[in-house]
Amino acid sequence: MDDTTRIMLDLNAGPENALAVLLAARSPRFTLEGITSVFGTSGAEEGARNALLLAELAAPDRDIPVAIGAAAPLLRECKPAGAGGWALPEPKRKPVPASAAELIVERLNRHRGRITLICCGPLTNVALALVQDPGIADKAKRLVIAGGALKAPGDVTPVSERNLWSDPEAAFRVFRSGIPITLLGLDVTREAALPPELLRSLVKESDAVADFLEQIIRTRTSIRGTGTSSGIPAGDALAVAVAADPGLVETEGFSVMIEIKGTVSRGATLVDLRKGLRPTVHNCDSALKVNNGRLAAGWTELMSRAAKGGAR
Amino acid sequence: MNPTILDVDTGIDDALAIAYAVRSPALEVLGITTCFGNVSAEEASCNTLTVLDYLESDIPVYQGAGEPLFRKYLGEKAVAIHGEDGLGNRADRILKRGIEKQHAVDFMIEQIKRRPGEVTLVCVGTMTNLALALMKAPEIAGLMKRAVIMGGAVTVPGNVTPWAEANIHNDPEAAEWLFRSSAPVTMVGLDVTMQTLLPEEELDRWRRKNTPLASFMADISEFYIQCYKRNYPGIRGCGLHDPLAVGAVIDPTFVTTVPMHVQVDLEGSLSLARTIGDRREQPDRRPNADVCLTVDADRFLAHFLENTV
């Protein structure tokens, strides 16, 4: 019996996204069913290009499909983002002809109830996929979102986190859709740091990924993570890890609503916390705390199995 | 003596705040200004005069704004909370005097300018009067000693919506006008006022005093507590929202404050009128308010009970 966790990754071309791809492609705990790109720190095309290259380097024996996704939010104007700045060679493969939303719909229907979708950027692609086939809300095993800020302050505004702020209308529709959500907001993603030595265990000597990984380690500023560990910011990698092991974070059920209006509040993840009035029907398990006791071991386990198993 | 102007929308807890302020030897109440909110501005004036009558006080009352700055009144008269007349249906006094001719806003400006750096404004209703005063005479931002407002909720849920507190919700732009004004502001919000409950048992002690004032205060508080019990099952008293703002002037050590940049959500579809404190490690802007986050509830309550009725 296949004991891997089937996942799909939705992301753009940032360095945290790249670590998520490496972890997902390298760790034998996962079967990576596809990668979709979305606008964000880079354009969607650049995101797809980087994802193709990383998938090629990390898992050369597999043909992980990569689809180009939304170039802009559903409704908002979007300024073209600056380039990611990675010195990467051209990938050999091309993106699949399907759009990101089409690939998500196709994969979720093919493996009903078995795929965890992990979104590390704005939620535009999932919102579009839910329009194409609302039935996928019941067919996804779970949607893990690296985004939002439940009790922690925001980043773009005092109450809004960038991914959900970038396309609040998409987020609104996704949270209303009934798809089972695990929300990893700034409450926990800022706490996730991967020590360089642990990251290096993802690669083997003379590995094609090694140079790229060293580039990330060199250019990213180390942060203090949870407990005593410090390392490279790895919020998106945490979302991948949680797909395999939900116990890495402590969650609480909430009915989250997305504010779509307002200069300050746009994209805010709102919950009604009034005593006696808290909704009892939840649309979301929100992580409020990293499980300090388990995260270090969780990372090590994912990484070491990656090293032993190598590329599948 | 702290020269103080009390701005109210009287209301039951406003009545308690008025009594606490008027009877406090620490405050010199220059006048009481009224605005719409719990009730209309006219009703707020009548109710204020009623309370002052029970207090045997001749402090002048100045009527102010009857509607929000830039929008239709969002709320509705808080009949369930404060009664049909705003005083738990006890505003039955025949008034011996009326309001002053001067408008509340002009009274505020005049007093602040007359005593530069001395006058504290305690706003326990909407911030409309103060915002209008700041519009009319922006220089008073630097001339008032401080504005202490009862309103908002930074770290706790709202009351009128899951995210908004009633005084801010009744005129969000007025509150934002104050926050942007550079006036020194202390925000006494639900963060602290929901921790200061008037226990029901205290009312019997008031009633035993058997004075018109004590009976009146006990009756209106009783009405307020019944409403709290309906709205917050299991609660053992009513929130002393407005009195705590007065308390923070009488003895600032009742509360501890954190300087913060606060802005009001003026546009949200869900979180309209939420007071958003920038609690990020590196805020975009400098603090514009001292936000009360903790309160020595026992010490405040003891002082309030000892000195109000």
Side-chain angles (χ1 to χ4, degrees):
Chain A
M1 164 122 184
D2 180 9
D3 68 342
T4 64
T5 304
R6 283 178 194 269
I7 56 174
M8 285 186 81
L9 273 179
D10 184 66
L11 39 68
N12 45 65
E16 279 198 41
N17 295 160
L19 292 183
V21 176
L22 289 182
L23 180 61
R26 271 288 154 99
S27 172
R29 280 290 291 276
F30 300 107
T31 302
L32 185 51
E33 286 287 342
I35 303 175
T36 53
S37 71
V38 64
F39 73 93
T41 47
S42 65
E45 293 203 12
E46 194 193 345
R49 182 188 163 283
N50 278 17
L52 273 172
L53 187 83
L54 280 171
E56 233 169 64
L57 295 176
D61 56 336
R62 273 180 297 159
D63 195 12
I64 298 165
V66 174
I68 301 173
L74 293 182
L75 195 62
R76 307 273 168 168
E77 303 231 357
C78 175
K79 287 190 207 120
W86 303 101
L88 293 177
E90 272 302 310
K92 295 189 195 75
R93 293 190 300 121
K94 294 264 175 284
V96 295
S99 72
E102 286 165 350
L103 183 66
I104 290 169
V105 168
E106 187 269 324
R107 291 283 139 150
L108 292 184
N109 275 295
R110 189 195 293 188
H111 304 285
R112 292 184 175 201
R114 298 185 63 197
I115 294 182
T116 299
L117 185 55
I118 301 161
C119 283
C120 306
L123 298 182
T124 323
N125 289 334
V126 190
L128 288 169
L130 281 160
V131 173
Q132 284 187 20
D133 180 359
I136 60 167
D138 300 324
K139 292 167 189 161
K141 183 179 177 195
R142 190 152 273 273
L143 169 64
V144 179
I145 296 171
L150 206 92
K151 292 191 171 171
D155 50 17
V156 187
T157 86
V159 283
S160 300
E161 179 279 333
R162 182 168 298 281
N163 285 344
L164 303 197
W165 175 88
S166 299
D167 194 346
E169 285 81 11
F172 180 91
R173 290 188 62 88
V174 169
F175 276 82
R176 204 183 53 177
S177 70
I179 196 167
I181 295 173
T182 296
L183 183 70
L184 303 186
L186 293 172
D187 311 81
V188 291
T189 48
R190 278 224 182 95
E191 302 288 311
L194 272 168
E197 56 279 15
L198 205 53
L199 271 173
R200 289 190 181 105
S201 67
L202 271 178
V203 301
K204 287 170 283 191
E205 263 178 66
S206 70
D207 192 318
V209 184
D211 283 352
F212 181 74
L213 191 60
E214 287 306 321
Q215 200 179 337
I216 293 184
I217 292 170
R218 210 170 44 243
T219 52
R220 295 289 281 169
T221 311
S222 181
I223 60 160
R224 178 159 297 282
T226 167
T228 52
S229 76
S230 63
I232 308 304
D236 294 341
L238 178 66
V240 173
V242 164
D245 183 358
L248 295 179
V249 288
E250 293 172 15
T251 63
E252 192 178 327
F254 288 101
S255 173
V256 171
M257 283 179 285
I258 305 296
E259 174 63 86
I260 56 175
K261 303 285 186 216
T263 334
V264 207
S265 300
R266 156 187 171 184
T269 36
L270 297 175
V271 288
D272 186 351
L273 296 174
R274 292 176 298 175
K275 271 204 188 87
L277 296 169
R278 273 180 76 158
T280 47
V281 177
H282 301 147
N283 63 356
C284 174
D285 290 322
S286 298
L288 296 177
K289 222 169 147 274
V290 169
N291 190 335
N292 282 321
R294 280 177 69 170
L295 186 60
W299 285 132
T300 311
E301 197 250 335
L302 285 174
M303 302 287 173
S304 60
R305 282 183 64 170
K308 265 187 233 145
R312 290 174 63 248
Chain B
M1 291 277 271
N2 221 332
T4 301
I5 296 171
L6 199 54
D7 188 67
V8 296
D9 57 337
T10 315
I12 293 172
D13 63 327
D14 303 69
L16 297 172
I18 292 169
Y20 188 31
V22 168
R23 292 172 68 97
S24 167
L27 304 185
E28 176 197 355
V29 181
L30 303 172
I32 298 182
T33 54
T34 64
C35 65
F36 76 98
N38 293 324
V39 291
S40 71
E42 291 78 12
E43 289 168 308
S45 299
C46 289
N47 290 346
T48 302
L49 288 164
T50 300
V51 175
L52 289 173
D53 193 40
Y54 276 109
L55 287 163
E56 296 171 6
S57 160
D58 56 3
I59 290 170
V61 176
Y62 302 84
Q63 190 164 305
E67 59 187 357
L69 293 182
F70 304 125
R71 58 173 87 223
K72 279 175 137 178
Y73 182 38
L74 287 172
E76 49 191 56
K77 192 173 151 184
V79 173
I81 303 168
H82 296 277
E84 193 61 50
D85 60 7
L87 284 178
N89 306 325
R90 275 294 314 266
D92 46 9
R93 205 83 163 167
I94 294 160
L95 297 173
K96 299 189 198 79
R97 61 174 176 129
I99 55 171
E100 307 301 309
K101 286 206 181 67
Q102 195 179 22
H103 191 277
V105 169
D106 295 321
F107 175 71
M108 283 180 174
I109 295 169
E110 178 196 277
Q111 293 298 315
I112 292 168
K113 285 186 169 177
R114 184 175 291 170
R115 302 170 79 163
E118 288 185 35
V119 178
T120 301
L121 285 111
V122 184
C123 298
V124 299
T126 69
M127 273 114 265
T128 319
N129 284 339
L130 184 48
L132 284 167
L134 285 160
M135 259 182 225
K136 199 167 177 180
E139 66 275 17
I140 62 167
L143 295 174
M144 69 178 78
K145 186 177 180 191
R146 182 160 282 272
V148 178
I149 63 164
M150 190 281 128
V154 170
T155 59
V156 298
N159 52 11
V160 62
T161 81
W163 306 283
E165 183 279 332
N167 285 342
I168 309 288
H169 194 255
N170 281 340
D171 194 348
E173 285 82 6
E176 179 65 3
W177 198 284
L178 173 62
F179 284 126
R180 289 189 196 179
S181 72
S182 84
V185 175
T186 298
M187 186 185 136
V188 182
L190 298 178
D191 307 85
V192 283
T193 64
M194 285 302 285
Q195 298 175 47
T196 53
L197 295 181
L198 173 63
E200 203 174 3
E201 309 84 83
E202 287 298 330
L203 302 187
D204 294 332
R205 217 171 53 82
W206 284 0
R207 287 212 170 86
R208 281 199 296 275
K209 292 193 173 183
N210 204 21
T211 66
L213 174 70
S215 306
F216 172 73
M217 290 296 173
D219 285 352
I220 63 173
S221 301
E222 171 86 47
F223 187 95
Y224 200 47
I225 287 175
Q226 292 312 321
C227 163
Y228 260 76
K229 285 183 168 173
R230 284 194 304 276
N231 286 358
Y232 305 94
I235 205 160
R236 298 177 57 92
C238 59
L240 289 170
H241 306 285
D242 297 350
L244 184 57
V246 172
V249 181
I250 293 176
D251 183 351
T253 68
F254 286 147
V255 290
T256 57
T257 62
V258 173
M260 212 183 279
H261 185 271
V262 178
Q263 58 190 323
V264 180
D265 182 343
L266 302 178
E267 307 151 311
S269 57
L270 297 167
S271 60
L272 176 69
R274 179 186 188 187
T275 43
I276 294 172
D278 195 341
R279 308 188 73 206
R280 293 175 292 181
E281 273 172 34
Q282 289 166 324
D284 289 338
R285 282 176 270 184
R286 294 155 63 90
N288 59 357
D290 295 311
V291 179
C292 296
L293 291 185
T294 61
V295 54
D296 188 341
D298 293 340
R299 200 158 59 83
F300 161 72
L301 188 64
H303 188 265
F304 169 79
L305 292 171
E306 202 56 46
N307 295 285
T308 300
V309 168

